[in-house]
């Protein structure tokens, strides 16, 4: 086979690596799956962990929040740095380091006998996960030729949806048969299998011309992201983004990130070439990633309370209801490239974002008796929409950068995803809390002042007080359900509005359908070994 100029084509991927590329992708998905799964599996165990010993470790509401947030804070703060180190030191080395650290943190978290220990080991897990997620996508970009990358990224994106869905199911099954630490200990054998497979299959790669290390840029990115994410988390905790303890870290984080960008523009060897953000397609893609996860993580947050606190379903039943979302992602994400090839990224992503917005808005119509089949349809629509957004925008981000900068591109992609998700939980969670408190206050007048304040914090707190009142608490249960449904409706419309903003962004700035390439360019360029068919 030859190029249009007549010169022999030179494939960028070594033949030995090319032959095992799909096996490598399975290993990468396996690694990514346990990181995503663990972040969703904890949500179903919070009630058990809050129980006194020996059932749990007696964690308070604040300690439970930090068991989740310590992971998020470290994870988000180090994503960018981890991607840069992968480009410079080798992505396989970084992947092995990250997954080993994640496994060690999981084992230690399972053996925690106090909330403080659990928070510490969750932070260690977040540290390891920050090195795993960007490395999986960076390795993918270096074992697949450019024409196969959209298909591989679609499969990679589908595994994220699978992790989000099976996390609650796995957690529910483990908690029914084992102690709470099993939700962490289950990671250890999976990590061991992943490590062996990585050593045997995954090739190493790095930037052949990385330039000088940019320590100031690395430090600025970590400080800026940690301050920003901490402020966002704090705002969600207080349901008040005007508090000084929220404004200071948020403003400080944004200021540091501005200094980071200015430093990168002037640096002779920048950690990230910020000029890529001048490309409308690149900026639109990362904005779409942030907006869709803002909307989705917010609705995931309140849907768990709706299904368990209002509908009375178990954690396992609630997890099973998310399956249609995962099925849709697994079905359509790997095939999104086919639709993009026919209609263009702009049309496909616009339609996908619109489907997500419709699915989110549908929650504003739900009540305490909404049929299960209708909920399944809504989750399926959401999953279908995401499956037609995430792969194309990820391809747009990754293919905008040279292959040797894959770690940096993956870090940008995942950082915007993580910050968008944290912001969604914090902002939409505070909207939910504020509306709920406003509605339930009128029904708490007969309670003592101390109990009144506690009961107004959340629907779980209100229901706990109502349970202590016995039969007299029945009207309070009804009021709590009504107040939560109203708060959920308002929050759902807010999340749908964010998804509509994302629809507008991709409709205006993502590229349209690309013209078909000449036959000679599209044909397979990898020469077959002498005397053999490939």
């Amino acid at each position: 086979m030859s190029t249009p100029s007549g010169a022999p084509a030179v494939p960028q991927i070594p033949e030995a690596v090319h032959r095992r590329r799909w096996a490598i992708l399975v290993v990468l998905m396996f690694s990514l799956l346990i990181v995503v799964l663990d972040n969703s599996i904890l949500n179903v165990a919070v009630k058990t962990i809050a129980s006194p010993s020996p059932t749990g470790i007696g964690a308070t509401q604040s300690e439970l929040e930090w068991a989740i947030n310590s992971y998020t804070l470290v994870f988000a703060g180090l994503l960018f740095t981890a991607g840069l180190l992968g480009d410079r030191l080798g992505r396989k080395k970084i992947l092995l380091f990250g997954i080993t650290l994640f496994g060690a943190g999981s084992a230690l978290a399972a053996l925690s006998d106090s909330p403080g220990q659990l928070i510490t080991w969750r932070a260690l897990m977040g540290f390891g996960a920050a090195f795993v997620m960007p490395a999986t996508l960076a390795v993918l970009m270096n074992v697949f030729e450019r024409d196969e990358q959209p298909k591989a990224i679609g499969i990679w994106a589908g595994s994220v949806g699978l992790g989000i869905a099976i996390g609650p199911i796995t957690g529910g099954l483990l908690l029914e048969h084992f102690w709470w630490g099993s939700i962490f200990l289950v990671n250890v054998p999976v990590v061991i299998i992943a490590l062996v497979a990585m050593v045997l299959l995954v090739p190493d790669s790095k930037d052949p011309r990385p330039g000088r290390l940019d320590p100031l840029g690395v430090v600025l990115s970590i400080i800026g992201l940690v301050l920003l994410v901490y402020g966002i988390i704090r705002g969600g905790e207080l349901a008040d983004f005007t508090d000084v303890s929220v404004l200071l870290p948020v403003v400080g984080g944004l200021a540091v990130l501005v200094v980071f960008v200015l430093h990168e523009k002037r640096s002779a060897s920048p950690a990230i070439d910020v000029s890529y953000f001048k490309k409308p397609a690149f900026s639109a893609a990362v904005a779409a990633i942030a907006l869709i996860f803002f909307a989705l993580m917010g609705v995931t947050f309140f849907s768990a309370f709706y299904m368990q606190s209002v509908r009375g379903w178990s954690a396992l039943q609630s997890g099973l209801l998310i399956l249609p979302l995962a099925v849709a992602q697994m079905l359509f994400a790997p095939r999104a490239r086919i639709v993009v090839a026919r209609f263009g990224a702009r049309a496909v992503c616009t339609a996908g974002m619109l489907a997500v917005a419709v699915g989110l808005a549908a929650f504003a119509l739900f009540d305490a008796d909404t049929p299960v089949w209708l909920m399944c349809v809504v989750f399926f629509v959401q999953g279908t929409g995401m499956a037609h957004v995430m792969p194309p925008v990820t391809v747009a981000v990754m293919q905008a950068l040279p292959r040797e900068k894959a770690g940096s591109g993956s870090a940008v992609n995942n950082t915007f995803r993580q910050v968008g998700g944290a912001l969604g939980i914090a902002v939409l969670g505070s909207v939910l809390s504020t509306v709920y408190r406003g509605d339930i206050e009128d029904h708490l007048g007969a309670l003592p002042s101390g109990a009144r304040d506690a009961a107004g914090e959340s629907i779980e707190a209100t229901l706990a007080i109502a349970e202590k009142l016995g039969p007299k608490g029945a009207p309070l249960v009804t009021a709590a359900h009504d107040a939560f449904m109203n708060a959920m409706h308002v929050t759902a419309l807010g999340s749908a509005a964010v998804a509509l903003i994302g629809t507008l962004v991709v409709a205006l700035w993502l590229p349209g359908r690309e013209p078909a390439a000449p036959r000679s360019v599209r044909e397979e360029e990898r020469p077959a070994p002498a005397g053999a068919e490939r």
Side-chain angles (χ1 to χ4, degrees), residues 6-7 47 73 141 206 243 251 261 277 279 288 299 316 342-343 355 399-400 413 425-426 447 472 525 528:
K47 288 184 178 180
L73 190 63
M141 298 300 290
K206 60 182 178 180
D243 190 90
V251 173
V261 171
F277 285 92
K279 299 179 179 181
V299 78
L316 179 58
R342 181 169 182 179
F343 299 104
Q399 292 193 343
N413 176 77
I425 293 174
L447 298 175
K472 294 181 180 179
E525 294 183 348

Side-chain angles (χ1 to χ4, degrees), residues 70-275:
S70 62
Y71 180 100
T72 303
L73 190 63
V74 175
F75 183 52
L78 289 175
L79 271 172
F80 185 71
T81 300
L84 295 177
L85 291 176
D87 284 345
R88 282 166 168 76
L89 303 179
R91 288 131 194 164
K92 180 177 181 177
K93 297 183 186 72
I94 290 297
L95 190 53
L96 289 170
F97 170 76
I99 201 74
T100 300
L101 209 59
F102 183 85
S106 297
L108 291 166
L111 301 175
S112 300
D113 55 17
S114 71
Q117 288 183 9
L118 179 60
I119 291 168
T120 301
W121 302 134
R122 283 283 295 167
L124 182 64
M125 291 171 68
F127 193 104
F131 286 82
V132 173
M133 184 169 271
T136 60
L137 189 51
V139 170
L140 181 155
M141 298 300 290
N142 281 273
V143 299
F144 284 90
E145 298 285 9
R146 188 178 179 87
D147 61 333
E148 283 190 323
Q149 287 170 0
K151 180 179 181 180
I153 287 174
I155 297 170
W156 179 89
S159 69
V160 175
L162 179 63
I164 291 172
I166 68 173
I169 298 171
T170 306
L173 287 171
L174 288 170
L175 291 173
E176 283 187 3
H177 298 94
F178 305 101
W179 100 113
W180 67 268
S182 63
I183 66 169
F184 299 117
L185 199 60
V186 72
N187 292 332
V188 176
V190 180
V191 163
I192 293 171
I193 295 169
L195 283 171
V196 173
M198 282 178 207
V199 171
L200 296 176
L201 291 172
V202 176
D204 205 359
S205 62
K206 60 182 178 180
D207 187 346
R209 294 179 298 277
R212 292 183 293 107
L213 194 62
D214 180 19
L216 179 58
V218 168
V219 171
L220 287 173
S221 71
I222 293 174
I223 293 173
L225 286 170
V226 167
L227 284 174
L228 177 62
V229 174
Y230 173 79
I232 291 169
I233 291 171
R234 182 65 178 158
E237 284 181 344
L238 299 177
D240 179 8
F241 283 83
T242 62
D243 190 90
V244 175
S245 65
V246 176
L247 289 176
L248 281 179
V250 167
V251 173
L254 290 173
V256 172
L257 291 174
V258 168
V259 174
F260 166 73
V261 171
L262 294 174
H263 168 73
E264 295 301 293
K265 290 176 71 175
R266 297 175 182 176
S267 175
S269 183
I272 180 70
D273 188 348
V274 294
S275 66

Side-chain angles (χ1 to χ4, degrees), residues 141 146 149-150 153 276 279-286 289 345 349 389-401 409 413 509-511 514:
M141 298 300 290
R146 188 178 179 87
Q149 287 170 0
I153 287 174
Y276 285 111
K279 299 179 179 181
F282 183 87
S283 294
V286 294
I289 290 168
C349 289
V389 175
M390 293 310 300
V393 296
T394 302
V395 169
V397 171
M398 297 305 296
Q399 292 193 343
L401 277 69
N413 176 77
W509 289 296
L510 274 188
E514 294 183 0

Side-chain angles (χ1 to χ4, degrees), residues 283-305:
S283 294
V286 294
I289 290 168
L291 289 168
I292 197 169
F293 269 86
F294 180 102
L296 190 75
M297 294 306 292
V299 78
T300 301
F301 175 78
F302 67 66
S303 65
F305 288 101

Side-chain angles (χ1 to χ4, degrees), residues 377-420:
V377 169
V378 169
F379 280 122
F380 189 83
V381 169
Q382 286 181 340
T384 302
M386 283 195 69
H388 288 90
V389 175
M390 293 310 300
V393 296
T394 302
V395 169
V397 171
M398 297 305 296
Q399 292 193 343
L401 277 69
R403 188 192 295 267
E404 59 269 19
K405 302 293 184 184
S408 299
S410 179
V412 170
N413 176 77
N414 288 300
T415 299
F416 273 81
R417 176 202 301 250
Q418 195 65 26
V419 172

